[in-house]
Amino acid sequence: MRNINENTITAAVLDRMAGCEDPRLKEVMSALVRHMHDFAREVKLTEAEWAAGIEFLTATGQKCDGQRQEFILLSDTLGLSMLTVAMNHSKSAQATEATVFGPFHVPGAPRLPLGGDISGGAAGEPLFVDATVRGRDGEPVADAEVDVWEADAEGFYDVQRPALDRPQGRAVLRTDARGRLWFRGVMPVAYPIPTDGPVGAMLRATRRHPWRPAHVHFMIRAPGYQTLITHVFRAGDEYLDSDAVFGVRSSLIGNFASHVAGSAPDGSLQPGPFHTLGFDFVLEPAE
């Protein structure tokens, strides 16, 4: 096709993909082209603006490495991550809701026995977690693999501390025969997502704050059940209603109870304040 103009180019691009043999790929790519072209026409996108957009995406990719995923951060802050989660993880009323995965999970975290200390020496007031994992009908889920990760008292994950030579604030544990899980960590605090890259520049330009409410991440896997990726948020946090990545669900707000110095749930004597969290996770059956 020759003499293509702004009104005919979309059809021309779609026609070039007519021979695609993967129906889902064809559907996704066709919709992407249509929406991108409609967007450009709607805002009357200039060449300079599109060049700036390309520079932004290039810089986003350049900010990614083995310890940082700026594109996940971009997806999170634009609400696309949570939209995808909401569309793909519709659950029954009994099941625990899913939320964003986030950019700070690391495969191969240390495997600890129940009752272990996941902090790895991270700074923070002690937190003792006692949770259960069960199915939708109330059955305990034994030997479920529970991946846990959290930030330290300054709001940093271990991957944000390049000088560290060991994992901190993360571990993999397994539930006991009753579906019970318990461990020690540190009390979570609200923290800003990284703002030293393109995503931070975007937030500043659009007058948005970068803060996430205090939370602990959980990923729970067990045969016969859907994998659950979720957080437990700290009740009363000032950012619960303005989470930078739109991940808060009321059902995921937990009661992080505070205690004065004294005997902790694991029998240890704590010389200063400590905290406890009880939470029940309910898994959806596998499809």
Side-chain angles (χ1 to χ4, degrees), residues 189-214:
V189 298
Y191 64 82
I193 61 173
T195 57
D196 59 338
V199 171
M202 181 270 291
L203 294 179
R204 288 188 292 274
T206 54
R207 299 296 188 269
R208 288 177 54 186
H209 76 69
W211 288 85
R212 296 218 63 204

Side-chain angles (χ1 to χ4, degrees), residues 41-267:
R41 281 188 283 260
E42 178 186 341
V43 302
K44 300 189 186 319
L45 192 65
T46 69
E47 291 174 275
E49 289 167 342
W50 182 225
I54 290 174
E55 289 177 3
F56 174 82
L57 294 174
T58 301
T60 299
Q62 291 170 337
K63 197 68 176 176
C64 298
D65 57 31
Q67 304 298 319
R68 173 140 174 196
Q69 234 303 345
E70 192 80 356
F71 267 112
I72 291 179
L73 204 60
L74 178 60
S75 174
D76 289 352
T77 54
L78 293 178
L80 186 58
S81 297
M82 197 60 228
L83 171 60
T84 305
V85 169
M87 290 190 300
N88 287 276
H89 293 277
S90 177
K91 297 179 181 295
S92 60
Q94 306 99 307
T96 300
E97 292 187 273
T99 190
V100 293
F101 190 51
F104 296 116
H105 177 262
V106 176
R111 293 184 175 271
L112 296 181
L114 290 172
D117 185 352
I118 75 165
S119 71
E125 294 183 349
L127 170 68
F128 296 88
V129 177
D130 192 336
T132 61
V133 180
R134 58 187 177 87
R136 193 171 62 188
D137 295 326
E139 73 279 10
V141 180
D143 202 36
E145 182 180 86
V146 184
D147 206 329
V148 187
W149 64 105
E150 63 170 343
D152 61 24
E154 294 183 335
F156 291 104
Y157 291 84
D158 54 0
V159 295
Q160 295 175 284
R161 295 189 180 279
L164 273 178
D165 59 0
R166 66 189 185 282
Q168 286 188 337
R170 65 180 73 245
V172 178
L173 308 98
R174 288 190 173 273
T175 57
D176 68 7
R178 297 178 295 166
R180 187 170 165 234
L181 169 80
W182 65 96
F183 62 88
R184 174 176 172 169
V186 297
M187 184 66 160
V189 298
Y191 64 82
I193 61 173
T195 57
D196 59 338
V199 171
M202 181 270 291
L203 294 179
R204 288 188 292 274
T206 54
R207 299 296 188 269
R208 288 177 54 186
H209 76 69
W211 288 85
R212 296 218 63 204
H215 60 274
V216 181
H217 293 262
F218 292 86
M219 178 165 62
I220 304 175
R221 291 175 282 205
Y225 298 91
Q226 295 180 25
T227 295
L228 172 65
I229 296 173
T230 195
H231 305 359
V232 178
F233 294 93
R234 183 177 173 180
D237 192 286
E238 64 178 306
Y239 297 108
L240 287 172
D241 293 315
S242 62
D243 181 12
V245 305
F246 309 97
V248 178
R249 296 292 179 268
S250 294
S251 66
L252 301 179
I253 298 174
N255 179 26
F256 289 76
S258 297
H259 308 270
V260 297
S263 181
D266 65 352

